[in-house]
Amino acid sequence: MPRNYKTSTIKLLFGTATHCAYPGCPAKLIFQDRGLYTPVAQIAHIRSEQVNGPRYDPTYPADELDEFDNLLLLCGEHHPPVDRHESTYTVTELLEWKKAQAQQGDRPLREAELAAIERKVNNFQPIASTAILRGPVRDLGEAERLQQAQDRLSEAPQEAAELFGEVASALEASPFVQHASIVRGRQAGALEAAQNYEAAGKLRIDLGWRSYRSGDRFAIQQQLREISGYESNLAEETRRAAVGLSVIAGFGFDRSVVIEDLAEVFDGMEPSDQGYAECGLAFAEQAIVWRRLGLITDRSETLTSLMSNTSLDAVGLRFRARLAMCLAEASNDWTNLVSTARTAYPPDLVAWIAARHARYLSLNGRPEEAIQRWLDAIDKAVAENLNDTAASWLYGQRLTKLQYRPFEGDLDELHRLAQALRAAGGGSVFPEAYPLAERALSRMLDKKWPDAFECLHQYLSHSVITASWQGEQTAHARFGDLFVATQQWDEAIRHYIWAGRYSTLEKLTRSLPDRPLQFDPPSKEAPHWERLASFKFVGKMPDILPSELAERWSRACMDELAGLSQENSWTDVRLAAFDAFAAVADEASKADAENFLNLMQDYFRREPNSHYRTDEGQVKAIVKIARAHPELRERIAAMLCDAILIDNEVAQDAIASAEALLGEFPEIVEAKLADAAAAGHVHAALAIVVLGVDPSPALQVARDEVARDVEPIERPPGTMTLGTLVRRTAILATVLPEADQVRFAEAMLARLKDVHDEANNRGDALAAISRVARKFSPAQKAKVFDALIDFARNPTDSQLPVPFGSGNDPFSRFKFNIPVPPLAAAALHGCALIASTQEQYRRVRELTLELMPGADDRSMKILAQALLEVPSSEIEESVPFFAAHPSRWLRCLAAVLWCKNPQRWPQLGERLARDIEPRVRMTLAGELGSDADFDGARQILQQDPRRGIRRVVQRR
């Protein structure tokens, strides 16, 4: 709370004492250096003036609480325990201390000394109301001197400079110190007019560093611009000082200035150069901010010497503490700094050091120690009324608990405490020049990218330096947003990784351009959330990692997979590494591939209908391994049969992903699946049918499935069922007699026309018809064809008893929308699949062209598939049109058609090989022939950024 100790009381306190009242403590009350007085003692109450304070005595006269007899002078180390442990330090004992302190010595206080003490203990800012109205210069009685300086500027600029300097000195000695820079700027201009360039340059460099500390990079550029006009007239050391300021200020302002430039300019300066210490500190702190610790360790002796040569006044101690924290973090050795901080630094710096240590522990996988250090820092900050900083450190403690699950307690309580501290008001260990986060966000919204970059640079630096860990992660996330908006993909990824933004990275994979991505595996020393984000990102990334780098990732993944268990948390790095391996398994070495197969050998040998988190990734990985290492294919085919026997989604993945592979080993399929199929195992039967081996074991399963799905659908009023098994049944039905197939197709036609069924269910019925009708007799095919093409011309919408979705209101809080399949396009595709006459193909082609205008991407894909079933001679003339169409699916169609007749359009293949859409290039790669007509397109595709496309070309 604000104090108002009387001058007479302060004179008695400091005039009768020489050191701390704590018995045996020699700590001085006032630090004197270079003619300046800095009070370092703290005034302690023997009896508190607050009802809930230590040793509160309601009988003690209220008007005497702030008088000499109730006050002690204590050092910063002994004041906190005296107030916190009131039962240990009693009134009686403190009165004895008081008596002894009053006899320490009797000395008169100088006026300057007394004024300095009053400003300190009363937190006094002697700004009179008249100063606000009249202005700082006039209030200080310097208006005449300032006017005379201005008057002499043209005729006697050196004299004007001296007068400007006197006015500035007066301002710097008053609470109006911020106004002094303006006058110092005029002084520099006067020195330049007097051609005293050396003095002017030094003064402008000093002003530049003042602006750097306040975050005003533009003002620094102004000072440097003035210096550049007479740089050749400056001494060598002054030019070095100007270069040092320029490079340090440019870092974060000009993107061409990198951290190595800061190191180089610091290396090139001499300890006697102006700004040498500031350059050293700025370089060291930025190396910490940007995680270039090696730059500090390479210069540890120089920086340690710089730290040791600083003064021991308040400014010097602050500088020393900041540099010491950088050296401790770079050397991974906090022992000495932590052990000596309490005796070497004032309480606010001790709190700061504890918080930086806590951040370091959090980043290096030592959460229990980190949480205790956060608590120490917060406790000391609150004691020093640094409430804003204490709130930031509370969020740091909260984030530590969040990152290192499991955690105990209510994390929201830490949030509430932080908000309460900020509401109470208070100071900061290192105040922001202005609200950096808000300013950065505003610049981003206005798309002022250079300004946004500068503000984010300052925000990140401030967050790291002050150990605001949540602010640090937020700054990295905002940097990621900025670089995405400006399409700086590599840098965006790096910052999202540092922020641990898994979901944001997953979304980013959809925006990455088709070019090789240089993204290295994380080191084992990286924080676990960064490693987790890295592996999750690679697991979702398109295959644009260069082959050599993908092999390194597969190696890194295998290093993580030891100890993998299905009980691992979703935040476990091993599960993320598993998915990442599945993404790069095509580049795994044979040794890593075999190690993976050994690790996963028994995962598919388990009870039916059991689910593992790794199922989908395992199928994906082993199929890729089979393509890359043919000698392992037989072993993998056996593993896939084990997956099929699980009889759920993993069985479907195995059949869909590895049909060609399993088809190579019919003896394995029959040996592993025939008995299960005969016993009623649905997916075993399905695999036997799909793979074309002896269907006998699957017949009974097929009959049972068909019998179930031809039964009339019963729907209780007000209910709806989403999802069917009829696509699977259609495959099984293909081994049954035609009568059973026709009966099934008729049931599916009825379901297709049932407007009371959900649209996706009707789409399943349509797909089932298309599958089973391909084997019909011509007469039966014609009936189904006519029914489907009529539906394609006049589709009906589903009329559901249960509404879904929330309309088009963008502010709706709850949305549950089921995408409606394009039934008309799907019906037309079904027609194309079963068409067999020229007339039928004509009707398909004409209706397809009718449906194309206005079709969405999903519909266009199905329409392109329909045209693909039409004989190429019917649509060959349209190939150039398809190749230039905005729809990627029609360009895919053009790629297929071109490969059937490359001589007709010689240059078209090369154009399609450079298509922006990977699907087009992959389609072309899969259709290439071996003769010379395809050489141009082949050479282009062999250099494609996507590994999958290059592999397809190599196999062709």
Side-chain angles (χ1 to χ4, degrees):
M1 61 182 296
R3 307 292 187 186
N4 190 19
Y5 299 111
K6 293 185 292 187
T7 301
S8 58
T9 301
I10 295 173
K11 281 184 176 181
L12 280 173
L13 279 172
F14 286 84
T16 58
T18 59
H19 55 270
C20 173
Y22 187 88
C25 180
K28 293 183 178 181
L29 306 178
I30 300 173
F31 179 77
Q32 181 178 358
D33 184 53
R34 303 179 186 183
L36 298 175
Y37 301 104
T38 305
V40 292
Q42 300 178 10
I43 297 180
H45 286 74
I46 298 174
R47 307 167 189 83
S48 177
E49 76 278 28
Q50 300 180 30
V51 175
N52 295 322
R55 297 172 297 279
Y56 175 71
D57 183 356
T59 65
Y60 197 80
D63 58 350
E64 297 181 16
L65 288 170
D66 288 338
E67 297 295 334
F68 175 75
D69 291 337
N70 192 48
L71 303 176
L72 279 174
L73 292 178
L74 295 171
C75 66
E77 182 177 359
H78 291 120
H79 186 189
V82 165
D83 278 358
R84 291 178 196 165
H85 309 295
E86 57 181 308
S87 60
T88 300
Y89 301 97
T90 63
V91 170
T92 302
E93 182 179 7
L94 296 185
L95 287 173
E96 290 296 323
W97 295 4
K98 171 69 180 177
K99 181 178 179 182
Q101 188 177 48
Q103 298 172 359
Q104 288 175 356
D106 188 8
R107 65 184 184 88
L109 294 177
R110 299 178 181 178
E111 288 300 320
E113 193 175 4
L114 178 61
I117 295 171
E118 283 192 278
R119 287 197 295 273
K120 167 71 175 178
V121 300
N122 287 330
N123 193 24
F124 181 54
Q125 300 293 328
I127 300 178
S129 60
T130 54
I132 306 299
L133 298 175
R134 299 169 60 200
V137 174
R138 184 176 297 277
D139 187 72
L140 292 171
E142 297 291 334
E144 179 63 24
R145 193 189 309 272
L146 182 63
Q147 185 60 52
Q148 288 196 26
Q150 189 66 36
D151 293 342
R152 299 184 195 185
L153 186 56
S154 57
E155 294 182 351
Q158 184 63 43
E159 293 180 20
E162 293 172 2
L163 290 173
F164 280 129
E166 292 174 11
V167 175
S169 296
L171 288 167
E172 288 164 350
S174 76
F176 301 109
V177 62
Q178 298 297 333
H179 294 259
S181 294
I182 300 174
V183 182
R184 289 291 183 195
R186 292 188 183 182
Q187 181 185 6
L191 289 169
E192 289 159 355
Q195 298 185 356
N196 189 350
Y197 296 121
E198 186 69 18
K202 289 182 176 180
L203 183 54
R204 289 202 181 277
I205 291 171
D206 181 68
L207 289 172
W209 280 111
R210 293 188 195 185
S211 298
Y212 179 80
R213 288 188 287 272
S214 67
D216 189 351
R217 307 293 179 96
F218 182 74
I220 302 172
Q221 301 304 320
Q222 288 182 308
Q223 301 297 340
L224 292 171
R225 196 176 299 114
E226 294 293 336
I227 292 174
S228 66
Y230 49 85
E231 185 177 359
S232 60
N233 296 312
L234 298 177
E236 180 63 28
E237 60 269 21
T238 307
R239 286 202 297 271
R240 285 198 303 266
V243 171
L245 172 63
S246 175
V247 173
I248 296 294
F251 187 61
F253 182 84
D254 180 355
R255 287 199 67 203
S256 65
V257 180
V258 296
I259 187 71
E260 287 80 6
D261 296 328
L262 272 63
E264 183 179 351
V265 77
F266 177 63
D267 292 342
M269 295 181 73
E270 298 292 335
S272 59
D273 289 349
Q274 182 185 5
Y276 176 75
E278 287 87 348
C279 280
L281 178 60
F283 154 68
E285 288 187 333
Q286 290 304 321
I288 295 296
V289 170
W290 295 99
R291 305 191 185 186
R292 298 294 304 277
L293 306 187
L295 295 174
I296 297 178
T297 54
D298 291 345
R299 297 161 179 81
S300 58
E301 291 186 10
T302 304
L303 293 170
T304 301
S305 175
L306 173 60
M307 181 182 69
S308 302
N309 291 331
T310 55
S311 65
L312 295 178
D313 59 8
V315 174
L317 285 174
R318 192 174 182 84
F319 178 93
R320 182 182 293 237
R322 290 173 64 179
L323 195 51
M325 288 187 281
C326 295
L327 287 165
E329 183 161 346
S331 65
N332 191 26
D333 184 7
W334 287 79
T335 306
N336 183 61
L337 179 58
V338 170
S339 62
T340 60
R342 189 178 295 274
T343 56
Y345 298 104
D348 60 331
L349 295 183
V350 175
W352 193 354
I353 291 168
R356 282 283 293 272
H357 189 206
R359 171 191 172 272
Y360 170 83
L361 294 168
S362 296
L363 285 168
N364 286 275
R366 296 158 65 182
E368 293 81 9
E369 298 173 72
I371 289 170
Q372 184 56 52
R373 292 300 282 155
W374 284 122
L375 289 171
D376 293 342
I378 294 162
D379 189 42
K380 291 179 176 63
V382 171
E384 294 300 311
N385 290 322
L386 301 173
N387 289 344
D388 289 338
T389 295
S392 295
W393 294 344
L394 271 168
Y395 282 118
Q397 179 191 3
R398 183 176 185 270
L399 186 56
T400 302
K401 293 185 175 184
L402 278 170
Q403 295 287 21
Y404 292 96
R405 295 174 174 85
F407 49 80
E408 297 178 358
D410 181 8
L411 291 180
D412 287 339
E413 180 62 23
L414 297 176
H415 167 70
R416 289 189 286 269
L417 285 172
Q419 292 301 306
L421 280 173
R422 286 178 173 167
S428 170
V429 71
F430 187 42
E432 286 183 307
Y434 43 78
L436 295 168
E438 291 81 354
R439 182 172 289 195
L441 186 58
S442 173
R443 300 301 185 269
M444 288 176 66
L445 291 173
D446 292 339
K447 296 185 179 181
K448 296 180 178 179
W449 308 129
D451 293 343
F453 177 83
E454 179 186 357
C455 291
L456 283 175
H457 198 285
Q458 292 177 324
Y459 178 38
L460 176 62
S461 299
H462 186 272
S463 297
V464 173
I465 291 168
T466 60
S468 175
W469 191 21
Q470 187 176 59
E472 179 181 348
Q473 291 212 324
T474 300
H476 281 305
R478 294 288 176 269
F479 259 124
D481 296 341
L482 172 65
F483 287 127
V484 167
T486 53
Q487 298 186 359
Q488 308 289 306
W489 307 107
D490 292 347
E491 293 189 72
I493 293 166
R494 178 177 59 148
H495 284 282
Y496 283 141
I497 292 293
W498 283 354
R501 298 300 174 98
Y502 322 128
S503 57
T504 308
L505 282 165
E506 183 175 344
K507 294 176 183 176
L508 181 61
T509 59
R510 305 165 198 160
S511 305
L512 291 175
D514 255 355
R515 62 174 177 80
L517 181 66
Q518 296 297 325
F519 180 55
D520 294 319
S523 69
K524 281 285 190 178
E525 292 71 35
H528 80 273
W529 59 89
E530 294 181 12
R531 289 164 53 228
L532 180 65
S534 298
F535 284 113
K536 285 194 170 187
F537 176 59
V538 170
K540 298 292 185 182
M541 183 196 303
D543 57 346
I544 54 176
L545 284 174
S547 297
E548 301 80 6
L549 189 53
E551 183 176 357
R552 286 175 50 202
W553 270 98
S554 69
R555 176 72 264 162
C557 293
M558 288 305 301
D559 289 343
E560 293 283 350
L561 291 183
L564 179 67
S565 168
Q566 296 303 316
E567 282 70 46
N568 292 137
S569 164
W570 66 272
T571 58
D572 194 295
V573 175
R574 285 168 291 191
L575 285 174
F578 187 95
D579 290 336
F581 182 84
V584 296
D586 53 338
E587 297 293 348
S589 66
K590 184 180 178 183
D592 282 338
E594 289 181 323
N595 288 338
F596 182 80
L597 296 181
N598 293 336
L599 177 67
M600 307 305 297
Q601 182 65 48
D602 296 328
Y603 272 45
F604 286 154
R605 296 172 181 171
R606 61 179 194 258
E607 290 297 317
N609 286 309
S610 55
H611 297 263
Y612 280 6
R613 298 179 185 181
T614 55
D615 284 344
E616 181 180 354
Q618 184 174 350
V619 171
K620 181 179 177 181
I622 63 178
V623 170
K624 286 186 175 183
I625 290 172
R627 292 172 183 162
H629 301 284
E631 62 273 25
L632 301 176
R633 295 167 75 88
E634 184 172 352
R635 180 181 178 185
I636 291 170
M639 292 178 68
L640 290 166
C641 288
D642 291 336
I644 291 170
L645 291 175
I646 298 174
D647 204 24
N648 57 15
E649 290 84 357
V650 67
Q652 297 176 24
D653 286 345
I655 297 170
S657 303
E659 181 178 345
L661 171 62
L662 289 170
E664 295 178 19
F665 303 97
E667 66 283 357
I668 294 177
V669 173
E670 289 186 332
K672 280 188 164 284
L673 303 182
D675 290 345
H681 193 290
V682 176
H683 283 95
L686 186 65
I688 284 175
V689 173
V690 169
L691 299 172
V693 297
D694 179 14
S696 301
L699 291 176
Q700 188 56 50
V701 171
R703 295 188 193 99
D704 294 342
E705 295 287 297
V706 168
R708 181 198 64 217
D709 287 333
V710 298
E711 291 293 323
I713 301 172
E714 295 183 4
R715 298 191 189 90
T719 64
M720 185 188 73
T721 301
L722 179 60
T724 72
L725 300 174
V726 298
R727 291 175 184 259
R728 185 180 74 184
T729 304
I731 297 173
L732 292 167
T734 58
V735 299
L736 297 177
E738 185 177 24
D740 293 327
Q741 296 178 19
V742 170
R743 184 162 59 97
F744 175 73
E746 290 173 346
M748 294 302 100
L749 278 171
R751 188 159 194 177
L752 172 63
K753 297 175 182 178
D754 185 359
V755 296
H756 299 294
D757 202 355
E758 201 275 328
N760 284 278
N761 297 345
R762 298 168 70 193
D764 287 348
L766 182 53
I769 297 168
S770 303
R771 179 75 185 218
V772 77
R774 295 179 213 178
K775 297 183 67 176
F776 284 2
S777 64
Q780 291 293 344
K781 276 187 179 181
K783 290 181 181 179
V784 175
F785 180 93
D786 290 340
L788 292 183
I789 205 159
D790 287 345
F791 183 86
R793 290 188 180 280
N794 300 289
T796 54
D797 295 330
S798 293
Q799 301 173 8
L800 302 180
V802 180
F804 278 88
S806 56
N808 297 318
D809 183 5
F811 299 103
S812 176
R813 293 186 181 275
F814 304 101
K815 292 184 172 68
F816 186 80
N817 293 311
I818 302 174
V820 177
L823 293 180
L828 188 57
H829 182 221
C831 291
L833 288 171
I834 62 176
S836 57
T837 67
Q838 187 175 1
E839 174 61 20
Q840 288 175 335
Y841 285 130
R842 181 191 62 78
R843 295 172 69 186
V844 168
R845 185 184 71 248
E846 291 177 352
L847 185 53
T848 301
L849 296 176
E850 287 181 27
L851 295 178
M852 276 185 179
D856 60 16
D857 185 71
R858 193 176 178 188
S859 298
M860 195 65 81
K861 177 182 180 181
I862 298 173
L863 294 174
Q865 291 171 335
L867 286 177
L868 192 59
E869 299 299 327
V870 175
S872 57
S873 60
E874 297 286 328
I875 54 175
E876 195 173 46
E877 295 295 332
S878 301
V879 170
F881 167 75
F882 293 151
H885 199 279
S887 170
R888 53 182 173 166
W889 304 114
L890 289 184
R891 301 201 304 277
C892 287
L893 174 63
V896 175
L897 296 174
W898 177 81
C899 288
K900 293 181 179 181
N901 189 6
Q903 298 89 353
R904 184 167 182 182
W905 304 278
Q907 305 303 318
L908 187 58
E910 295 183 18
R911 193 173 98 200
L912 291 167
R914 295 188 179 94
D915 196 277
I916 192 174
E917 174 56 50
R919 293 176 185 271
V920 177
R921 306 197 305 272
M922 178 62 84
T923 301
L924 181 65
E927 298 291 329
L928 287 179
S930 58
D931 55 336
D933 293 322
F934 300 96
D935 287 349
R938 182 182 295 107
Q939 289 174 6
I940 295 171
L941 292 174
Q942 285 172 342
Q943 305 301 318
D944 196 273
R946 299 206 173 217
R947 299 190 316 278
I949 294 175
R950 297 198 302 272
R951 283 191 175 276
V952 170
V953 175
Q954 291 166 6
R955 287 199 297 269
R956 300 296 293 183

